[in-house]
Amino acid sequence: MKSCQYKLLILFICIVGSQSVLAQVVDTLCVSDPTGDYHVDGWPGSTFEWIVPDGQITRGSGSDSISVTWNSTPGTYPISVVETSANGCIGDTQYAQVLIIDPPNLQISGPKRVCEGDTAQLTASGGIDYVWNTGDTGAVVTINPTTSQTYSVVSNTKCGNDATNYGITVKPKPVFSIEINGKKFICEGEQTQIVASGDATEYFWSSLGWGSRQKVTKNGTYEVTAYLDGCEAFDSVTVGECRNLIPYNTFTPDGDGINDKFEIDKIEYYPNALVEIYNRWGDVIYKSTGYSNPWDGTWNGTPLPVGAYYYVIDPKDERAEKISGYINLIRR
């Protein structure tokens, strides 16, 4: 009779790993008492290897709960743990950090003087969480003071509380104005003067240089920066392009459609211009506001004789000057 032999195969499947992962920062301690307790939930029968390079395990080495006394220098320190099951399976390393802090010793940095209307940033340091008297939170606050005032910040931590103040002086910006001292509209070859005046100590024109008074020979917009005790203000002035009237000196009202009327170049820019024409005896033979109906050499519908006639043209606009002269009427 044959006997049967059986072999029993026992298969172990490793399922191991801490059932709860350590958080990124698991503890915040004070330099005056840098001792903390740490725990992970593992499997029954497991052992735990804790790695604490900047501290000393004072209780529970090899277990799922330990106590550590840390380096008393403020900083962020790593802590990690590896679980090994009763069957010898090794889990993933779990990492975390411990923060060691001083009691808050607050300081505020930033400008001590701010120009009226400008913004500035104040930065708090020496704490962890910050609350400003403006209602803002965080280390950095943006301010826009209208008067000189004091800003304060507080920080409350498990290692103590602190508060500090910071005074800001608001300085006025320069007040000034710009005038054109001369022609407000210039033609090619002409010049005028622009002048900045006020309580500023210095003036800088972006295209002209330093000085309150500048001579300009081109039309355009000129920008100036005024300075007073570290504060600045800006303004600009525009010198316009002139459009001087150019009357023709001769016309031939003979009905051939060529040069039949007294033409004035650029008169279309001046709809309110007053045009008057006189004969040799001083009689007004033509008068018009605007020049939509140019003079055709007649007076009350009657053709006038050849000769020189005196005109006066007032553009009623500062872009051009009032002019006068003679127009020759010629008939062929």
Side-chain angles (χ1 to χ4, degrees):
M1 183 176 183
K2 295 182 178 180
S3 62
C4 295
Q5 294 181 345
Y6 298 93
K7 291 183 178 180
L8 178 62
L9 176 63
I10 300 176
L11 178 64
F12 292 97
I13 300 176
C14 288
I15 303 176
V16 67
S18 299
Q19 296 178 14
S20 63
V21 179
L22 291 174
Q24 183 65 24
V25 175
V26 295
D27 201 5
T28 299
L29 301 174
C30 303
V31 294
S32 59
D33 184 19
T35 299
D37 297 325
Y38 309 98
H39 172 79
V40 290
D41 293 327
W43 297 95
S46 292
T47 59
F48 299 85
E49 180 184 2
W50 294 85
I51 302 172
V52 187
D54 298 290
Q56 181 179 359
I57 299 175
T58 58
R59 180 187 62 83
S61 180
S63 70
D64 59 0
S65 297
I66 63 170
S67 294
V68 176
T69 298
W70 294 91
N71 186 335
S72 60
T73 302
T76 301
Y77 300 101
I79 180 173
S80 60
V81 62
V82 178
E83 179 182 2
T84 302
S85 72
N87 296 323
C89 296
I90 300 174
D92 295 331
T93 302
Q94 309 298 321
Y95 299 93
Q97 292 179 322
V98 174
L99 182 63
I100 309 296
I101 63 172
D102 275 319
N105 181 20
L106 294 182
Q107 294 182 341
I108 299 175
S109 60
K112 296 296 292 184
R113 300 190 299 177
V114 176
C115 296
E116 182 181 9
D118 289 350
T119 61
Q121 284 190 335
L122 301 180
T123 302
S125 59
I128 297 179
D129 299 320
Y130 304 94
V131 179
W132 297 82
N133 64 336
T134 60
D136 296 286
T137 58
V140 180
V141 63
T142 299
I143 60 172
N144 183 18
T146 56
T147 59
S148 299
Q149 56 188 284
T150 298
Y151 293 88
S152 62
V153 65
V154 298
S155 180
N156 301 317
T157 72
K158 65 181 296 183
C159 300
N161 307 319
D162 195 19
T164 191
N165 299 322
Y166 194 82
I168 292 288
T169 300
V170 176
K171 301 188 302 179
K173 289 186 175 182
V175 178
F176 72 104
S177 60
I178 307 176
E179 294 182 349
I180 299 177
N181 187 10
K183 292 184 176 181
K184 296 181 180 179
F185 299 85
I186 58 175
C187 298
E188 184 176 357
E190 295 182 331
Q191 67 180 39
T192 192
Q193 188 180 60
I194 50 179
V195 181
S197 59
D199 61 3
T201 54
E202 291 183 303
Y203 298 92
F204 180 78
W205 299 85
S206 58
S207 58
L208 301 171
W210 294 95
S212 60
R213 295 176 178 269
Q214 298 291 338
K215 180 179 70 175
V216 296
T217 58
K218 295 181 179 180
N219 64 288
T221 298
Y222 295 89
E223 299 176 345
V224 63
T225 303
Y227 297 91
L228 175 65
D229 192 23
C231 293
E232 57 188 38
F234 309 91
D235 204 351
S236 63
V237 65
T238 298
V239 176
E241 178 185 5
C242 78
R243 291 191 172 104
N244 280 342
L245 298 170
I246 305 174
Y248 288 21
N249 60 8
T250 302
F251 75 117
T252 57
D254 51 15
D256 63 357
I258 300 174
N259 198 27
D260 281 336
K261 296 182 179 182
F262 176 35
E263 300 292 343
I264 307 170
D265 279 355
K266 295 186 172 61
I267 192 70
E268 66 272 15
Y269 293 111
Y270 306 100
N272 298 317
L274 177 62
V275 180
E276 294 177 321
I277 300 175
Y278 300 83
N279 61 18
R280 68 178 66 184
W281 296 282
D283 299 318
V284 178
I285 59 174
Y286 175 89
K287 183 175 182 179
S288 174
T289 299
Y291 202 58
S292 58
N293 186 25
W295 183 45
D296 60 0
T298 65
W299 183 15
N300 294 327
T302 301
L304 291 170
V306 298
Y309 294 84
Y310 186 73
Y311 64 80
V312 177
I313 306 172
D314 185 352
K316 302 294 184 181
D317 192 304
E318 60 185 352
R319 291 175 296 173
E321 297 178 345
K322 182 178 180 180
I323 59 174
S324 60
Y326 287 93
I327 174 69
N328 294 308
L329 189 158
I330 298 175
R331 297 189 185 278
R332 298 176 182 175

